[in-house]
Amino acid sequence: RLLSFVLSQLTVRFVSAGALGQASIPLELLLSTALFVGREGFRLALTKAEVRNGDPRDARITNVSWLTVPVGALLAVVAAFVHLHQCGQNEDTTLDYKLAGMLYCLAAFVESLAEPLVIQCLQQLDVATKAKAEGSALVMKSVSCFACLRITQSSWFRSVPMFSRVQEKTSFAVTSFGVSQLAYSIVLSGIMYREVWTRGIYWPCDVARTHNNHPYRTKLFQNFDVQTLRLVLIFTLQGLFKHALTEGDKIVLSALAGSYYQGVYALAASYGGLAARLLLQPMEENARLLFSHKRASVVREKENVDDEGKGLSTSLRNLEDSYCFLVRCATYIGLVFAGIATNYTPILLRILAGRRWGASPEASEALSAFCVYTAFLALNGMTEAFVYGVSTSGKDVTQLGIAHAVVGGMFAVVAPGLVAERGAVGLVAANCVSMACRSLYSIHFATDFFAKATRRERRSNFELISKLLPRTAILLAFALSYALTNVARVRIYEEGIVSGKNVVVVCIYHIGVGILCLILCSVSIFMLDREVKDSLVSAAKRKQE
């Protein structure tokens, strides 16, 4: 992962925003749609039971898993026709983009060749083989993309007559991404076949010939498990809506934004998502486990505090206190990004992506917007972790799915207007609105849960929100920190860069202001939030012991 990250940063330095946008948004959307439709339903339907060689029904299930290959081939062809049709509709389409799209479609087919083996590994709970193949393929993808970009921009490549004539009208930057995606698919499929071959691949077979117990059935019923096929179709149809919600950003950008703003958004999303993947996601997973454990303790505890049985039991009080504490902690992390980190995005881009991206106001604004979005992600992630942790009925999960569907509809209505007006920043703003609405529903669920658990009248949502929000003084400290770091960004960093001062010195001064503001906010939290203070003191004592 570290090698891939370093190579990705080097790749960004050698590619334009337009090329990055074309590869990361419309072509990635084309690839992910073909792969999702061709394998998601199969994975959900086929990974529920372990398959053994020799059993007729298991042989039929194995035959179903190998249908992913022809289905993947068909979807790759359809994707290629769609890509060529879109290229034909747009007169500005370059040869580079057209060729890259065909490579992405070919990569989708090659990756589908390994899908039966991926399903076999999942059935056998062999996650290591899949992880090894994906990790090696990811490294090859990064290496090949960087190498192709360097080769296509080299002087000897331009001196080749065949390529020099083509490069007068187009470059091969997007094609480099297509080559890297194809390399990823080849390595992934090759490693999967090599690893699974050693212990035996479950190949498809003619069940009708070897186990012809029902001679009056058609070939379809004799060779394939019809119940599993039905599940595949159902899961695929259900997954289409999920895929549309997941890829909503790319769908909107592909339809409404140009390649430049697509590239700006792709770069900002890659950096902005680091906090969510490395920091927030582990917190949410552990919190979900904690809430689930404490919910089980509440169920086991029969007696309540008061004699009428309407008060909070000890376990339930602990659950509510833990919920409020963890939501506030997630909020503090989000406020650090929204209140302080937003004013340091030009420095981050200059360090990671190079001077060209660091000097781009659109890229800095988009990444700053993602810092604000991180605050909404932190709140939504922790509040939804409670919903998933304590839900015990299908009704709760269904209601959450309905809420997500409604929010998705709101996003579809709001996003186009914001993207048309503000580009990449508008799309991030639409995502912030979506996360805020999802958080409100999760808080509403928590209010209902605690009211039902204590058999008392339902509290107002605002009563619970008041316990989740930080104190006013802490919020004022973050507001002051934002103002100070914003002034430092303008007066120290931007004016220093324009006047030609030493970049390192300017960055050190600007970062120093941010560190002082972070200390200010940390001290205010430690002094005013008693639960955070007690938690830190207890952790320090345990470490000393």
Side-chain angles (χ1 to χ4, degrees):
R1 289 182 178 179
L2 179 61
L3 177 61
S4 299
F5 180 77
V6 172
L7 289 174
S8 297
Q9 307 320 305
L10 294 176
T11 298
V12 169
R13 294 170 179 263
F14 291 104
V15 70
S16 65
L20 180 64
Q22 289 179 332
S24 303
I25 303 300
L27 294 184
E28 281 288 341
L29 177 62
L30 186 71
L31 175 71
S32 63
T33 302
L35 292 176
F36 183 89
V37 176
R39 70 187 182 189
E40 183 69 11
F42 286 94
R43 288 189 179 183
L44 292 175
L46 293 167
T47 55
K48 296 183 179 298
E50 184 178 352
V51 175
R52 302 173 302 278
N53 270 330
D55 187 277
R57 184 177 183 275
D58 290 345
R60 295 186 182 99
I61 293 176
T62 299
N63 288 346
V64 173
S65 70
W66 281 93
L67 287 178
T68 55
V69 175
V71 170
L74 176 62
L75 290 171
V77 172
V78 172
F81 276 111
V82 171
H83 172 68
L84 293 176
H85 175 73
Q86 291 177 342
C87 292
Q89 296 292 321
N90 189 356
E91 297 180 355
D92 297 330
T93 301
T94 61
L95 175 63
D96 182 28
Y97 178 71
K98 186 181 294 185
L99 179 58
M102 298 305 295
L103 290 173
Y104 269 84
C105 295
L106 179 59
F109 166 68
V110 174
E111 191 167 342
S112 69
L113 295 176
E115 189 58 27
L117 307 187
V118 172
I119 292 173
Q120 181 179 332
C121 289
L122 294 176
Q123 289 171 336
Q124 299 171 348
L125 301 180
D126 181 14
V127 183
T129 298
K130 180 173 177 288
K132 178 181 179 181
E134 290 177 344
S136 302
L138 185 61
V139 172
M140 178 56 67
K141 178 180 179 179
S142 301
V143 171
S144 59
C145 185
F146 178 72
C148 286
L149 285 172
R150 293 295 292 161
I151 290 173
T152 55
Q153 295 177 10
S154 62
S155 57
W156 69 265
F157 182 83
R158 296 191 185 98
S159 64
V160 178
M162 179 177 63
F163 296 120
S164 61
R165 289 193 296 268
V166 176
Q167 280 203 331
E168 293 177 359
K169 299 180 180 179
T170 184
S171 66
F172 290 97
V174 190
T175 302
S176 299
F177 285 93
V179 171
S180 67
Q181 187 61 49
L182 181 59
Y184 174 91
S185 302
I186 292 173
V187 172
L188 175 69
S189 299
I191 293 179
M192 288 300 301
Y193 274 93
R194 187 193 66 184
E195 294 294 323
V196 181
W197 185 281
T198 58
R199 63 171 182 265
I201 298 176
Y202 294 167
W203 297 102
C205 63
D206 188 355
V207 183
R209 183 173 57 85
T210 57
H211 298 86
N212 192 8
N213 298 326
H214 302 279
Y216 299 105
R217 288 186 176 182
T218 63
K219 280 279 187 178
L220 174 65
F221 287 92
Q222 293 184 36
N223 284 308
F224 300 99
D225 188 72
V226 179
Q227 182 180 357
T228 304
L229 284 174
R230 189 179 296 112
L231 283 176
V232 169
L233 179 61
I234 292 173
F235 283 133
T236 300
L237 294 177
Q238 289 178 346
L240 289 176
F241 182 71
K242 172 188 173 183
H243 180 67
L245 292 177
T246 304
E247 302 291 350
D249 295 0
K250 293 178 181 178
I251 294 173
V252 172
L253 285 174
S254 298
L256 299 175
S259 59
Y260 176 77
Y261 284 105
Q262 290 174 1
V264 167
Y265 181 85
L267 182 73
S270 64
Y271 293 139
L274 286 176
R277 291 192 298 269
L278 301 179
L279 186 62
L280 299 179
Q281 186 176 354
M283 286 182 57
E284 294 162 10
E285 292 174 351
N286 291 324
R288 185 165 61 248
L289 294 175
L290 176 65
F291 294 145
S292 179
H293 176 74
K294 288 185 175 294
R295 170 72 174 82
S297 299
V298 171
V299 173
R300 288 193 299 266
E301 189 176 84
K302 302 296 183 180
E303 296 180 359
N304 292 328
V305 172
D306 60 12
D307 296 332
E308 298 180 358
K310 295 183 179 180
L312 280 171
S313 66
T314 302
S315 297
L316 190 60
R317 183 179 290 110
N318 289 337
L319 175 59
E320 184 174 12
D321 291 342
S322 299
Y323 170 69
C324 296
F325 172 72
L326 289 175
V327 171
R328 280 204 310 278
C329 288
T331 303
Y332 293 145
I333 294 174
L335 287 175
V336 170
F337 282 92
I340 299 177
T342 49
N343 292 308
Y344 290 87
T345 55
I347 295 179
L348 180 65
L349 289 173
R350 178 180 285 269
I351 294 173
L352 294 179
R355 183 184 304 175
R356 177 167 53 88
W357 284 103
S360 170
E362 293 87 359
S364 298
E365 289 177 4
L367 187 53
S368 296
F370 261 98
C371 290
V372 178
Y373 179 50
T374 301
F376 288 93
L377 275 179
L379 177 62
N380 175 72
M382 195 58 67
T383 53
E384 282 194 357
F386 180 81
V387 178
Y388 286 114
V390 303
S391 296
T392 57
S393 65
K395 179 182 177 182
D396 295 335
V397 179
T398 301
Q399 289 178 345
L400 180 64
I402 294 174
H404 287 179
V406 173
V407 172
M410 292 175 54
F411 175 83
V413 173
V414 173
L418 291 175
V419 171
E421 183 177 350
R422 294 298 308 277
V425 175
L427 183 58
V428 179
N431 280 315
C432 291
V433 174
S434 299
M435 290 298 108
C437 294
R438 288 172 57 168
S439 301
L440 289 176
Y441 172 79
S442 299
I443 294 173
H444 171 79
F445 174 89
T447 303
D448 276 346
F449 172 82
F450 290 118
K452 292 177 182 177
T454 55
R455 297 191 295 276
R456 66 187 180 189
E457 292 185 2
R458 184 182 181 279
R459 296 180 298 180
S460 168
N461 288 333
F462 294 102
E463 183 180 348
L464 182 59
I465 291 175
S466 64
K467 297 182 66 176
L468 301 177
L469 287 176
R471 291 178 177 269
T472 304
I474 298 176
L475 294 176
L476 289 176
F478 276 103
L480 177 61
S481 298
Y482 174 80
L484 291 175
T485 53
N486 186 57
V487 171
R489 177 177 61 83
V490 176
R491 297 293 185 182
I492 298 177
Y493 180 76
E494 293 182 356
E495 292 184 0
I497 295 296
V498 172
S499 61
K501 294 182 179 178
N502 187 286
V503 176
V504 177
V505 175
V506 169
C507 291
I508 290 175
Y509 284 150
H510 184 28
I511 293 173
V513 174
I515 293 175
L516 292 176
C517 290
L518 183 60
I519 294 174
L520 170 66
C521 294
S522 302
V523 170
S524 64
I525 293 172
F526 185 80
M527 299 299 295
L528 299 176
D529 195 322
R530 188 182 62 185
E531 292 185 31
V532 173
K533 179 180 179 180
D534 294 342
S535 177
L536 293 176
V537 171
S538 300
K541 289 181 178 178
R542 287 195 299 269
K543 186 176 181 180
Q544 291 177 354
E545 295 174 356

